[in-house]
Amino acid sequence: MRFCALGSGSEGNALLVEYRGDPGIAPTRILLDCGFGLRALTSRLAALDLAPADLHAIFVTHEHGDHVGGAYTVARRCAAPLFMSRGTYVSSGGEAEGVEAQVVAAGVAQSVGDIEVMPWAVPHDAREPVQFSFSAGGRRLAVLTDLGSITPGVLRMVSGVDALVLECNHDEAMLRDSAYPYSLKQRILGAWGHLSNTQAAALLEQADTTRLRAVHAAHLSQSNNQPALARAALAQALGAQEEDIGVLEQHAVGRWISV
Ligand SMILES: [Zn+2]
Ligand SMILES: [Zn+2]
């Protein structure tokens, strides 16, 4: 299994997960979130020599625009099913002409080709937000963004994974000192907001990371965080080198990362 971030942050999120079980068989490709419009997504996929028609399914974590923005349009274009929780379905407009929407529930795995996708409930200020882990070929990848606090379920989600994409939204001091309005600061810092570098590091300290080989910080705030701060926090929690921690970018397509 391998994955590639097409963009990560409050201006738009999309990540590609791919698995080729057998060299003679076409790979399964899943798009996780689609905060980009059709044109932007198409050009980001083109950087990987792919097109929307190469996607087999789209999974959406929640109804915030940076995750669901272009999902319905892209699903219609590539005729791929769109998977989301019932709450996300209702909050994002629900039924749409030419889109096959399928409802998923936390704790109930969904198979797409050879990839098993597990939805996990997370604390975030949306109707029914979930985050997903992906299993294939004996490996597991968890992608965890848009949550305000660590729950026992979140801890179970990341424990024992081989690769992890983990929200490091903000540095708490930078956010507190920022020009953001008080109410927005409270929303981001709250239990249903976003994970700080410190919270992400605390999660790694509590989780079983014995299998963990790849860690990438994600959903970094452009104004209230710096890649070096996120990298340092996660490296310290894992006893790893800072250069071993990846940081997903908002404005550039990443590289393929093997799980
Ligand atoms: Zn988001
Ligand atoms: Zn969100």
Side-chain angles (χ1 to χ4, degrees):
M1 185 163 50
R2 62 180 188 165
F3 70 95
C4 180
L6 301 177
S8 177
S10 59
E11 291 174 31
N13 293 274
L15 184 141
L16 202 55
V17 180
E18 183 186 274
Y19 178 66
R20 190 190 292 264
D22 190 310
I25 295 173
T28 300
R29 293 193 191 91
I30 294 174
L31 186 69
L32 172 62
D33 281 330
C34 189
F36 301 106
L38 180 60
R39 191 193 285 188
L41 186 86
T42 302
S43 87
R44 287 179 187 237
L45 284 172
L48 301 170
D49 278 330
L50 294 171
D54 295 316
L55 305 173
H56 299 105
I58 301 172
F59 283 74
V60 172
T61 56
H62 62 299
E63 69 272 26
H64 290 162
D66 56 322
H67 298 267
V68 79
Y72 284 86
T73 315
V74 172
R76 191 177 297 115
R77 169 58 65 93
C78 62
L82 190 57
F83 294 89
M84 56 181 76
S85 71
R86 177 150 307 275
T88 301
Y89 176 71
V90 169
S91 303
S92 61
E95 263 177 67
E97 186 92 21
V99 174
E100 180 197 347
Q102 296 198 23
V103 167
V104 298
V108 182
Q110 180 73 47
S111 287
V112 177
D114 293 324
I115 304 178
E116 188 185 87
V117 186
M118 177 65 89
W120 302 79
V122 291
H124 189 53
D125 51 6
R127 180 92 166 249
E128 190 185 351
V130 292
Q131 294 289 321
F132 296 100
S133 62
F134 302 85
S135 301
R139 301 287 175 91
R140 188 152 60 99
L141 158 72
V143 181
L144 179 60
T145 68
D146 295 73
L147 71 164
S149 46
I150 298 163
T151 64
V154 164
L155 199 50
R156 272 202 305 281
M157 176 188 181
V158 304
S159 286
V161 297
D162 299 278
L164 176 62
V165 171
L166 178 58
E167 170 163 61
C168 287
N169 180 261
H170 56 276
D171 172 81
E172 282 168 33
M174 282 181 76
L175 176 60
R176 285 184 202 282
D177 292 344
S178 75
Y180 277 26
Y182 177 78
S183 58
L184 181 56
K185 289 182 186 178
Q186 291 308 107
R187 195 215 129 210
I188 295 169
L189 290 164
W192 286 271
H194 289 277
L195 279 196
S196 68
N197 297 339
T198 309
Q199 286 173 297
L203 172 59
L204 290 182
E205 280 165 6
Q206 293 169 53
D208 169 5
T209 56
T210 47
R211 288 176 61 94
L212 195 55
R213 293 290 173 270
V215 180
H216 293 260
H219 214 299
L220 269 71
S221 164
Q222 308 269 315
S223 32
N224 299 318
N225 207 353
Q226 287 170 4
L229 294 174
R231 220 178 242 127
L234 300 190
Q236 192 181 10
L238 290 168
Q241 301 295 315
E242 288 179 22
E243 56 266 30
D244 294 336
I245 309 293
V247 177
L248 304 190
E249 293 185 51
Q250 177 72 81
H251 298 294
V253 174
R255 58 184 176 84
W256 284 109
I257 296 149
S258 296
V259 179

